[in-house]
């Protein structure tokens, strides 16, 4: 089996591809994510910037990747922290500039502290600067300072850049298409998340608290060397209707459904799964009726995924199946056609059916090109996540539906022939869920 890592050659290929797109008049500047202070000398868990990670595989803060296409003395340069035995004894090993050349395959690397001196020289003579403006205000100001310094030397013959471009415009189209190694990592990330959801189904009992189920998820994630790709949502009863519920502190009651939206992050790559199941192991007739509508929408939406189909087609399919189901159950009135035209489903289904998935859980990449929804192509990965949320105060609906929230979310990769679902290992069929929970 091939190792589950992105190899150095792939990071180098990504850098070359990006430089080819940018052209030899350009310079591309990507700072690592800043460390965030939680309080005093305690920090939030460090998470590398996804774009920086995509191009380097380097997980330290205080680093900047500079790409200078066509530069004879070296095109790929890294500024990073120097080795420092005293600091490393407290905070852990640093790669250092020498390591950046040896391990990361940079053409050259410099101490982070030399950036102020060297970067203006690299910017000088380049017409276009590619950078993420507005992501890191401190760095924005530093960059403006370096450009000003080059401008101040025009009389001495300096050529300051005259164009400033959004880096994401080039880079995010690359990130949208997943390589074989990325697809292997994402399949593994999905497999680990599926195991966690199965653990949760096995553990749940009335009387437990939502955070006890969250603990099952986290235990599984960490045992496989992953972290959560976002804060897990564990919402029982009416909490399932709160789309970004995160308190996870209620006691689960007999007769509740439990909605769990949780994914793993493996070497930066996210999975994103939602399952909804009865805390006591048996769906009530009412819960099952609504559940089967959402399940039918999930299945139908995944079935339309294949190359050449519009990005929005799975959403439109889900909306049609949900609306039809709501009409059959008496939650909506009138004809299917009129309800689709009026978007009346939005009362109970207020989000889209999916999003790109990759290094970010809501991954980068345009959904439209020139105003039109883009067409699906092989190696795109995204979620399919229809749901129905009947809030406790929903007016004009029978009381039996109120306080039920259901979402079923899977991760899908577009293949040459159609699609592959990465998250089949956690059951979604109601009978299969009941069978698993009965064991
Ligand atoms: N967990 C966030 C989402 O499903 O999009
Ligand atoms: Mn999602
Ligand atoms: Mn989700």
């Amino acid at each position: 089996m091939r190792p589950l890592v992105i190899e150095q050659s792939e990071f180098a290929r990504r850098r070359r591809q990006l430089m080819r797109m940018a052209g030899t008049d350009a310079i591309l500047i990507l700072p690592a994510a800043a460390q965030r202070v939680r309080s005093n000398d305690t920090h939030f868990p460090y998470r590398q910037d996804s774009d920086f990670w995509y191009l380097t595989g380097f997980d330290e803060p205080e680093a900047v990747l500079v790409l200078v296409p066509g530069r004879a003395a070296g095109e790929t340069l890294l500024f990073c922290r120097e080795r420092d035995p005293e600091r490393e004894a407290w905070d852990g090993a640093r790669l250092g500039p020498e390591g950046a050349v040896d391990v990361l395959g940079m053409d050259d690397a410099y101490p982070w502290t030399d950036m102020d001196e060297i970067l203006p020289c690299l910017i000088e003579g380049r017409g276009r600067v590619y950078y993420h403006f507005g992501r890191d205000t401190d760095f924005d100001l530093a960059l403006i300072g370096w450009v000003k310094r080059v401008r101040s030397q025009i009389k001495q013959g300096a050529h300051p850049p005259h164009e400033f471009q959004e880096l994401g415009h080039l880079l995010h189209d690359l990130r949208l298409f997943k390589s074989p190694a990325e697809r292997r990592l994402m399949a593994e990330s999905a497999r680990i998340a599926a195991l966690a959801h199965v653990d949760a189904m096995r553990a749940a009992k009335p009387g437990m608290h939502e955070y006890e189920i969250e603990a099952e998820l986290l235990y599984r994630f960490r045992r496989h060397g992953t972290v959560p790709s976002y804060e897990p949502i564990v919402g029982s009863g009416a909490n399932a209707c709160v789309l970004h519920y995160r308190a996870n502190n209620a006691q689960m009651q007999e007769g509740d459904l439990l909605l769990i939206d949780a994914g793993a992050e493996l070497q930066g790559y996210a999975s994103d799964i939602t399952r909804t199941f009865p805390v006591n192991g048996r769906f009530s007739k009412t819960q099952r009726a609504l559940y089967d509508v959402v399940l039918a929408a999930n299945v139908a939406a995944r079935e339309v995924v294949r190359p050449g189909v519009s990005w929005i087609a799975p959403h439109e399919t889900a909306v049609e199946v949900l609306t039809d189901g709501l009409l059959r159950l008496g939650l909506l009135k009138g004809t299917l056609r009129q309800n689709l035209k009026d978007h009346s489903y939005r009362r109970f289904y207020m989000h889209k059916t999916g999003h790109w998935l990759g290094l970010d859980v809501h991954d980068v990449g345009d959904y439209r090109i020139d105003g039109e929804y883009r067409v699906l192509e092989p190696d795109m990965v995204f979620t399919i996540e229809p749901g129905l949320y009947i809030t406790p105060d929903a007016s004009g609906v029978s009381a039996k539906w109120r306080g039920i929230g259901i979402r079923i979310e899977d991760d899908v990769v577009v293949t040459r022939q159609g699609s592959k679902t990465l998250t089949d290992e956690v059951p979604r069929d109601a009978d299969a869920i009941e069978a698993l929970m009965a064991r």
Side-chain angles (χ1 to χ4, degrees):
M1 210 176 101
R2 304 180 65 171
L4 263 178
V5 290
I6 305 290
E7 302 203 17
Q8 200 204 86
S9 58
E10 180 161 341
F11 289 111
R13 189 161 61 240
R14 294 168 179 176
R15 294 192 293 264
R16 277 199 305 276
Q17 207 169 346
L18 182 62
M19 285 192 283
R20 205 174 311 129
M21 291 163 87
T24 50
D25 195 28
I27 181 167
L28 304 93
I29 302 172
L30 287 100
Q35 289 186 87
R36 308 252 174 248
V37 173
R38 187 166 186 262
S39 67
N40 303 323
D41 59 351
T42 307
H43 293 87
F44 284 108
Y46 185 70
R47 167 56 158 75
Q48 187 53 278
D49 177 86
S50 295
D51 288 328
F52 183 90
W53 176 257
Y54 181 79
L55 294 170
T56 63
F58 184 47
D59 63 359
E60 291 185 28
E62 298 191 307
V64 178
L65 174 70
V66 182
L67 300 177
V68 204
R71 181 172 173 269
E75 297 183 295
T76 61
L77 312 172
L78 191 79
F79 293 89
C80 63
R81 303 182 299 189
E82 281 190 282
R83 301 292 312 270
D84 179 343
E86 203 177 318
R87 281 314 318 164
E88 289 179 51
W90 286 84
D91 297 328
R94 297 176 173 189
L95 195 56
E98 279 184 17
V101 173
D102 294 345
V103 179
L104 304 176
M106 296 290 150
D107 291 332
D108 218 337
Y110 312 98
W112 158 260
T113 43
D114 290 354
M115 195 161 49
D116 196 50
E117 195 185 312
I118 297 175
L119 245 182
C121 305
L122 295 170
I123 291 171
E124 196 282 320
R126 296 274 153 174
R128 248 170 305 121
V129 177
Y130 284 94
Y131 172 72
H132 282 305
F133 296 95
R135 192 179 280 190
D136 177 340
T137 312
D138 291 341
F139 202 89
D140 289 353
L141 292 175
L143 179 59
I144 290 168
W146 295 320
V147 170
K148 274 168 74 176
R149 210 179 311 159
V150 179
R151 280 187 191 143
S152 72
Q153 288 158 2
I154 288 181
K155 280 202 184 125
Q156 287 84 42
H159 296 277
H162 48 80
E163 239 184 278
F164 297 86
Q165 296 265 357
E166 174 48 37
L167 174 63
H169 191 63
L170 296 185
L171 181 55
H172 293 169
D173 213 55
L174 286 184
R175 277 181 53 190
L176 180 56
F177 297 90
K178 274 63 180 180
S179 71
E182 288 181 297
R183 297 199 301 275
R184 281 196 295 276
L185 275 170
M186 292 190 72
E188 180 63 4
S189 174
R191 191 185 72 84
I192 295 163
L195 287 173
H197 279 262
V198 168
D199 291 343
M201 286 177 184
R202 291 217 168 104
K205 300 272 177 309
M208 290 174 79
H209 289 80
E210 293 162 349
Y211 50 72
E212 294 175 73
I213 301 303
E214 182 181 359
E216 294 286 335
L217 302 167
L218 299 179
Y219 182 53
R220 175 63 77 173
F221 289 162
R222 292 304 289 144
R223 273 158 63 202
H224 292 267
T226 68
V227 292
S229 51
Y230 49 91
E231 279 185 87
I233 297 168
V234 184
S236 58
N239 293 336
C241 298
V242 181
L243 294 179
H244 292 163
Y245 178 73
R246 277 187 301 258
N248 297 356
N249 58 5
Q251 190 176 35
M252 304 186 294
Q253 307 298 319
E254 172 71 34
D256 278 352
L257 288 179
L258 179 64
L259 182 152
I260 299 179
D261 185 342
E265 181 183 296
L266 178 65
Q267 292 182 42
Y269 288 89
S271 47
D272 182 8
I273 302 180
T274 308
R275 289 292 184 267
T276 311
F277 58 89
V279 168
N280 65 10
R282 303 282 304 174
F283 285 90
S284 74
K285 225 171 133 213
T286 308
Q287 291 166 344
R288 173 80 188 240
L290 207 59
Y291 186 89
D292 282 345
V293 171
V294 179
L295 179 63
N298 171 296
V299 171
R302 282 186 296 117
E303 268 169 7
V304 304
V305 176
R306 78 187 104 83
V309 160
S310 165
W311 154 258
I312 203 66
H315 176 65
E316 287 171 341
T317 300
V319 161
E320 193 165 331
V321 174
L322 293 173
T323 306
D324 183 59
L326 290 165
L327 284 164
R328 272 191 294 107
L329 298 179
L331 280 148
L332 291 175
K333 305 261 175 318
T335 66
L336 178 61
R337 208 169 153 182
Q338 193 58 41
N339 273 280
L340 287 174
K341 199 161 155 241
D342 296 345
H343 304 293
S344 54
Y345 65 89
R346 283 185 185 162
R347 260 192 89 191
F348 307 118
Y349 182 46
M350 50 299 272
H351 58 80
K352 279 266 168 21
T353 302
H355 50 81
W356 306 131
L357 186 69
L359 285 172
D360 294 307
V361 68
H362 292 175
D363 206 30
V364 294
D366 290 330
Y367 291 97
R368 296 173 193 254
I369 293 177
D370 296 332
E372 298 289 325
Y373 282 113
R374 78 188 300 158
V375 161
L376 296 179
E377 296 174 58
D379 308 333
M380 292 172 162
V381 183
F382 56 92
T383 67
I384 295 283
E385 50 179 303
L388 287 174
Y389 314 92
I390 322 295
T391 55
D393 60 357
S395 58
V397 304
S398 161
K400 68 178 182 179
W401 303 114
R402 292 195 200 128
I404 300 182
I406 296 166
R407 177 164 64 256
I408 308 174
E409 174 173 32
D410 287 288
D411 302 346
V412 169
V413 50
V414 184
T415 62
R416 237 165 267 291
Q417 298 78 31
S419 74
K420 181 170 164 39
T421 299
L422 301 176
T423 40
D424 280 335
E425 284 174 50
V426 52
R428 66 177 82 73
D429 179 81
D431 288 334
I433 290 174
E434 289 186 349
L436 180 118
M437 293 184 74
R439 284 210 301 271

